[in-house]
Structures are given as structure tokens and as C-alpha cells.
Amino acid sequence: MAAGTIAVTRWIPAEAVELLATAGRPVVSSLDRPLTHGELCAAVSGAVAVVALLHDRVDAEVLDAAGPSLRVIANVAVGYDNIDVVACHDRGVIVTNTPDVLVEATADLTLALLLAVTRRLVEGDQLLRRHESWTWSLGFMLGTGLQGKRLGLVGNGRIAQAVAVRAKAFGMDVVSTSRSGGVPLGELLATSDVVSLHCPFTPQTHHLVGAASLATMKPTAFLVNTARGPVVDEEALADALERRVIAGAALDVFEFEPQVSERLLASDRVVLTPHLGSATTETRTAMAVLAARNVVDVLAGGRGITPIR
Ligand code: GLV
């Protein structure tokens, strides 16, 4: 029997492509951009497996375009809000993600953002690049220390736990809230010096941080988001920053990604990075390889190594 087509929606490391080639015929998009929805439908037509990235919206239309041969969608991300999992399962298509392998890199980036915003690293860098004159003084560009401050983690999964380990090493007092327990969200927001988001994006977490929750935070507090953009209402955040309801924010993800709100871009109290949470060579390779292993497993009759239930 001819090897089935494995549609890969964008560049992935060669190691992962080689692994896929042991189970089928990988066809990797040569475009250095996300496929349009129409291009995605065309790319998956007749495929037995799809290796998708987080910018690909895999909905019923895509699944119908793929047809009955499709067995697995392997998302190269831990989050899978881009995939209509119910529609996949209705069609008997297995969905997999890439948990664990990106925990440390994402936790590192979270701490990098937390430090950058509390210690004003980007502001300082920009001041120097503008060739502004400056001299050291006791009151110059003061930031906020972390020792003894409270970090409130929204979510208590593996990434949140890895962030907690790092924050404790900086002397922070760490609390968390999640669907299964921890401190109530209201108390966490009202008492934390830094609130860091580590929950998935679901209908329940859409705009979890909006005007009402921002108003309950301390005026000296910072918000860090390395989870998913739509968990934060960006207009409400921009208002809160302009009105000094909170002290600052550091965002790696955006409500209308890849667009970034002009109001946030204009604020010197926000640190912005372009969705770099898992962006190390080691981690991105591990993610792609795990996605490929999932495909190989399903095509060999398994249920996937890291399936979404
Ligand atoms: C990245 O955002 C991921 O979900 O892996």
C-alpha cells in the first residue's frame, strides 16, 4: 500500500520530518507563513495525518477537506485552543499536543518577563539606544524588588509549578488558583504583587482578566501573560495601564495575535515579546519530535503518546 500523506503545515526541524518519513510521506508547506484557511484545507486533502501549528485553525471544514483517511491531528504546542477537538473526536480523529517538553523553557521566559517588567530592563535599554544623557543616581529608574513579594499563579499545571520553583528562588511567596483548588481568584488578584497567567484558553477563561479583575489588583502590581492572549481583555488592560490601575504588564501572547494593540505598543510600562515561551532550539525540536512520534504511534495503530481526551 502506498504511504499516506502526512501534511505538515509549516517548517519543522529535519529530525521530526525524518521520523514522519518512517510512517508516511511528509509534505511540508514551503511557505514561510501560516497557511490561509483555504490553503490549509487544500494542504490536508486526503492526508492520513496533519502536523499543525498553533496558528492553524483546525475546524470541521478542515476535517471535511481532509476526508475519511485522516487519523490524527498532531498539534506542535501544548495549547490546543486552535483545534475543534469535539469535531475531531466525532470523526474518530485523534488529537495530540506537546506537553512537558516545553515546561522549563516557558517557565524561564515567564521569569525573564517578570524580571524585565519589574526592573524596567526594556525601558533602560531603549533610553540608552536613544542616546539620552543619564547619570547614576539613587533615584534613577527604580524598579520593584521581588524578595518577599507575592506571586499569584492563575493555573496550577506543570508550567505554573515550574514558575513557582523559580520564583521561590527569588524569595517570592507563591500562591496559585485553579479549577481544582488553591486560593480563590479574587483573593489572589487582590493580594498579589505579580499575577502570572498559566491557564488554557477556553470559553471559561476568555477575558478572565478584564476591567473588573484589574480593578481589584494592587496599583503597584504587575501582570504577566505567557498563556494565551484572549485570557486578557487587552482594551481593558490598556485602560488600566493608562489610568495607573496597575503598575505594568509583560505579555508574550496577544488577544488578536499576531496583531499587537497600538495602545500597548505605546506604553512604556509594558514589555512585549512575540510568543517566545517555548522558543529555544532544544525545546522547539523536542516539540516537533514529540508531535512526529504521536503521528507514528497513531499510524501504527496506537492511541497517541500525548492524546487530548
Ligand atoms: C505555545 O504557546 C504552546 O501552546 O505550546
Side-chain angles (χ1 to χ4, degrees), residues 54 76-80 98 102 106 226-228 253 275 278 284 287:
L54 56 77
V76 192
V78 65
Y80 48 88
T98 59
L102 46 60
T106 308
T226 54
R228 281 290 184 269
V253 287
H275 207 146
S278 59
R284 288 283 167 82
M287 289 165 69

Side-chain angles (χ1 to χ4, degrees), residues 111-129 141 143 268 271:
L111 262 291
L113 286 176
L114 195 164
L115 286 162
V117 72
T118 55
R119 296 300 299 275
R120 306 176 61 181
L121 299 193
V122 177
E123 259 183 274
D125 178 272
Q126 288 175 346
L127 176 141
L128 295 179
R129 289 175 199 274
M141 284 208 78
D268 60 6
V271 173

